[in-house]
């Protein structure tokens, strides 16, 4: 890089307006760097997307920005997760202390907060390439437009076009032969208990609208912060019921053939999808198909998500460009830490840009601080996903026998991940004082 890069950078280009993009923009503003965010979608996809889990290691980052209270009304708090075999027999329970959000809600709230603070978001900007010059970097987009800045941050996810442009020889994401779907539905209120008839009970406010299209809505009591998971004969299913009667659910199954397009599948036959799911869980505890049937009755639109993995990338930055979150170190969703890692990245990178005058030195320090932690969490996710489906009776028996032992180790490992904290006031340093 030229010597001009050692001057304090003033304007940044942020590619991607999912979760990490807006958070990165808010941190850049906090340290006095202006930025623009570029999103490939022509309009916000506020009605689409699955769920995302955030734990205290990332929620504490929102405290630094003062936005935790903006997102918590959209959270489904999960205190623990119980694991059961396909007939309903309990196997193990693991404390979790996570918050589940609809990804669309989280993205919308963070994006709107950034825009309210003067951050410009450009939609319909699909990145074509990145061009670096002596004193600037330019992002070229498919619509023919281009924008220049002092540096560019790729917050554009596992299929990052920023990564492809800067590191064309990097291995592409690999399909894991796993996919899933899920959603939210409204339940009929359960019959009141005697105590409930005598005293008014408090309920959790939920932003998820009630649906009146179900002819026979399911009635289930609150799971009191517990997510109930089932290792089915052919697939994995989990659900949780909030105090207000909102039920969140998701499932995962094996699918050997990769899709033609990695993007979210939105244009498939909904009836066929529900029929497929009902067949998938045939023979398992009947409650699973009751939930799926009610989701269909409430006209829930399903989207199928294919799970990809990204090989470890040895370098996350080059010149005036740096990768953030999934674009650098995507993790499979089984540990529920992908979004949290990306959010952690934003505060660490902001500290490095604040404290290190040389741009390339700031990027290098950012990777030095984050690399080992991210690899550990990614490895946890890879280990955690292999037991969700089993192909025969013996492998099911073996899994169900070993899960309680496995969960003890995962619990200890996850507690360490959750305990990670980043001190905003402390000077950026590769010394591991940011973790506890």
């Amino acid at each position: 890089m030229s010597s001009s890069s050692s001057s304090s950078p003033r304007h940044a280009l942020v590619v991607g307006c999912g979760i990490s993009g807006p958070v990165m923009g808010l941190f850049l503003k906090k340290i006095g760097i202006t930025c623009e965010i570029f999103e490939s979608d022509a309009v916000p996809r506020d009605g689409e997307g699955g769920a995302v889990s955030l734990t205290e290691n990332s929620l504490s980052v929102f405290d630094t920005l003062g936005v935790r209270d903006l997102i918590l009304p959209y959270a489904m708090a999960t205190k623990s997760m119980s694991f059961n075999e396909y007939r309903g027999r309990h196997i193990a329970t693991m404390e979790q202390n996570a918050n589940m959000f609809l990804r669309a809600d989280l993205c919308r709230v963070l994006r709107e907060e950034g825009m309210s603070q003067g951050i410009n978001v450009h939609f319909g900007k699909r990145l074509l390439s990145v061009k670096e010059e002596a004193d600037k970097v330019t992002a070229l987009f498919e619509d023919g437009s281009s924008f220049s800045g002092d540096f560019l941050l790729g917050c554009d996810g596992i299929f990052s076009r920023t990564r492809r442009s800067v590191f064309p020889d990097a291995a592409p994401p690999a399909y894991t032969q796993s996919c899933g779907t899920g959603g939210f539905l409204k339940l009929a209120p359960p019959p009141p208990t005697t105590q409930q008839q005598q005293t008014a009970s408090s309920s959790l406010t939920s932003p998820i609208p009630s649906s009146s299209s179900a002819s026979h809505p399911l009635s289930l009591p609150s799971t009191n912060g517990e997510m109930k998971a089932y290792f089915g004969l052919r697939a994995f299913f989990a659900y949780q019921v909030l105090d207000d009667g909102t039920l969140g659910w998701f499932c995962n199954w094996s699918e050997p053939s990769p899709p033609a397009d990695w993007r979210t599948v939105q244009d498939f036959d909904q009836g066929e999808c529900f029929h497929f799911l009902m067949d998938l869980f045939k023979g398992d505890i009947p409650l699973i198909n009751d939930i799926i049937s009610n989701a269909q009755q409430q006209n829930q639109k399903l989207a199928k998500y294919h799970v990809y993995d990204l090989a470890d990338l040895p370098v996350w930055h080059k010149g005036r460009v740096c990768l953030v979150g999934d674009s650098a170190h995507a993790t499979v969703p089984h540990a529920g830490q992908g979004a949290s890692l990306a959010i952690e990245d934003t505060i660490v990178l902001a500290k490095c840009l604040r404290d290190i005058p040389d741009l390339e030195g700031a990027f290098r320090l950012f990777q030095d601080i984050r690399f080992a932690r991210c690899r550990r969490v990614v490895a946890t996710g890879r280990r955690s996903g292999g037991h969700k489906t089993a192909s025969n009776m013996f492998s099911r028996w073996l899994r169900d026998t070993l899960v309680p032992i496995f969960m003890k180790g995962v619990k200890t490992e996850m507690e360490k991940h959750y305990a990670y904290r980043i001190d905003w006031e402390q000077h950026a340093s590769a010394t591991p004082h940011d973790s506890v």
Side-chain angles (χ1 to χ4, degrees):
M1 294 180 62
S2 69
S3 60
S4 63
S5 66
S6 63
S7 60
S8 179
R10 302 308 303 165
H11 187 70
L13 309 179
V14 177
V15 179
C17 193
I19 295 173
S20 61
V23 180
M24 191 74 251
L26 289 168
F27 271 115
L28 290 173
K29 186 176 188 301
K30 189 175 180 70
I31 61 174
I33 298 176
T34 63
C35 76
E36 297 173 88
I37 301 177
F38 302 88
E39 170 56 42
S40 61
D41 289 321
V43 294
R45 295 167 60 184
D46 290 342
E48 301 176 10
V52 60
S53 175
L54 298 182
T55 45
E56 192 58 33
N57 50 303
S58 56
L59 291 174
S60 62
V61 175
F62 290 134
D63 289 333
T64 304
L65 291 171
V67 299
R68 183 197 282 249
D69 290 343
L70 295 178
I71 67 171
L72 281 187
Y74 297 88
M76 182 174 75
T78 303
K79 299 176 182 177
S80 63
M81 192 169 189
S82 67
F83 295 89
N84 309 275
E85 51 98 75
Y86 71 100
R87 293 163 297 189
R89 180 178 63 85
H90 179 259
I91 299 173
T93 296
M94 184 175 71
E95 293 181 10
Q96 195 165 28
N97 293 320
N99 286 272
M100 196 76 69
F101 298 85
L102 283 174
R103 179 179 291 272
D105 286 336
L106 191 59
C107 292
R108 175 180 54 79
V109 172
L110 294 171
R111 181 186 71 244
E112 290 177 350
E113 176 62 17
M115 294 174 71
S116 73
Q117 295 192 27
I119 298 173
N120 194 10
V121 179
H122 303 269
F123 290 96
K125 298 297 180 182
R126 187 176 297 280
L127 185 68
L128 183 64
S129 62
V130 176
K131 180 182 178 182
E132 185 170 346
E133 300 177 49
D135 60 347
K136 65 181 179 179
V137 63
T138 301
L140 296 91
F141 298 94
E142 287 186 351
D143 64 0
S145 64
S146 63
F147 295 80
S148 297
D150 294 290
F151 61 95
L152 184 148
L153 304 178
C155 300
D156 45 347
I158 187 171
F159 290 92
S160 170
R161 289 192 165 210
T162 307
R163 184 182 64 244
R164 191 189 314 169
S165 178
V166 178
F167 300 109
D169 295 330
Y175 179 52
T176 66
Q177 300 189 0
S178 176
C179 59
T181 189
F184 291 83
L185 56 94
K186 293 298 291 187
L187 301 175
T193 64
T194 302
Q195 183 177 2
Q196 287 173 329
Q197 290 171 334
Q198 293 173 351
T199 61
S201 62
S202 61
S203 63
L204 178 65
T205 301
S206 170
I208 303 166
S210 175
S211 172
S212 59
S213 60
S215 56
H216 300 288
L218 188 64
S219 177
L220 290 172
S222 167
T223 56
N224 298 315
E226 180 178 77
M227 182 168 286
K228 295 182 178 295
Y230 296 87
F231 295 113
L233 292 170
R234 292 169 292 277
F236 180 84
F237 188 92
Y239 79 94
Q240 182 176 338
V241 182
L242 302 184
D243 294 346
D244 71 344
T246 299
L247 183 147
W249 66 278
F250 72 89
C251 60
N252 300 107
W253 66 92
S254 297
E255 192 168 291
S257 300
D261 188 349
W262 64 266
R263 295 183 176 281
T264 303
V265 179
Q266 298 287 0
D267 56 350
F268 62 96
D269 186 276
Q270 292 289 305
E272 287 183 6
C273 186
F274 278 108
H275 181 74
F276 167 78
L277 291 177
M278 298 283 281
D279 280 346
L280 191 66
F281 291 101
K282 189 177 294 183
D284 297 333
I285 182 172
L287 175 61
I288 296 176
N289 272 343
D290 288 343
I291 293 172
I292 295 171
S293 176
N294 269 256
Q296 183 177 25
Q297 290 172 21
Q298 295 187 26
N299 294 324
Q300 179 184 329
K301 185 178 180 181
L302 298 180
K304 186 165 65 172
Y305 300 93
H306 296 84
V307 179
Y308 288 80
D309 195 9
L310 184 67
D312 292 337
L313 193 66
V315 180
W316 301 349
H317 58 92
K318 183 179 180 181
R320 295 179 177 272
V321 181
C322 187
L323 304 178
V324 178
D326 279 357
S327 63
H329 50 72
T331 175
V332 290
H334 311 304
Q337 283 291 293
S340 289
L341 280 184
I343 293 166
E344 290 177 7
D345 277 358
T346 63
I347 185 173
V348 174
L349 181 53
K351 288 180 59 176
C352 293
L353 291 168
R354 177 194 67 189
D355 298 341
I356 308 300
D358 173 66
L359 182 61
E360 195 166 7
F363 289 165
R364 188 184 308 112
L365 177 58
F366 163 66
Q367 180 171 339
D368 288 346
I369 294 172
R370 296 293 295 157
F371 193 78
R373 168 167 172 77
C374 291
R375 289 193 71 172
R376 286 194 299 270
V377 177
V378 168
T380 299
R382 288 171 179 158
R383 288 194 298 271
S384 300
H387 62 270
K388 282 190 173 181
T389 58
S391 58
N392 55 61
M393 185 180 298
F394 174 75
S395 59
R396 287 195 297 272
W397 171 84
L398 185 63
R399 176 199 60 202
D400 297 348
T401 301
L402 295 179
V403 158
I405 301 171
F406 174 76
M407 286 302 167
K408 290 180 181 179
V410 170
K411 179 177 181 293
T412 301
E413 198 168 8
M414 294 308 296
E415 285 175 346
K416 293 179 181 178
H417 296 332
Y418 297 162
Y420 186 85
R421 296 293 184 274
I422 301 156
D423 187 345
W424 176 250
E425 302 301 328
Q426 207 158 20
H427 192 277
S429 168
T431 304
H433 56 244
D434 275 334
S435 61
V436 288

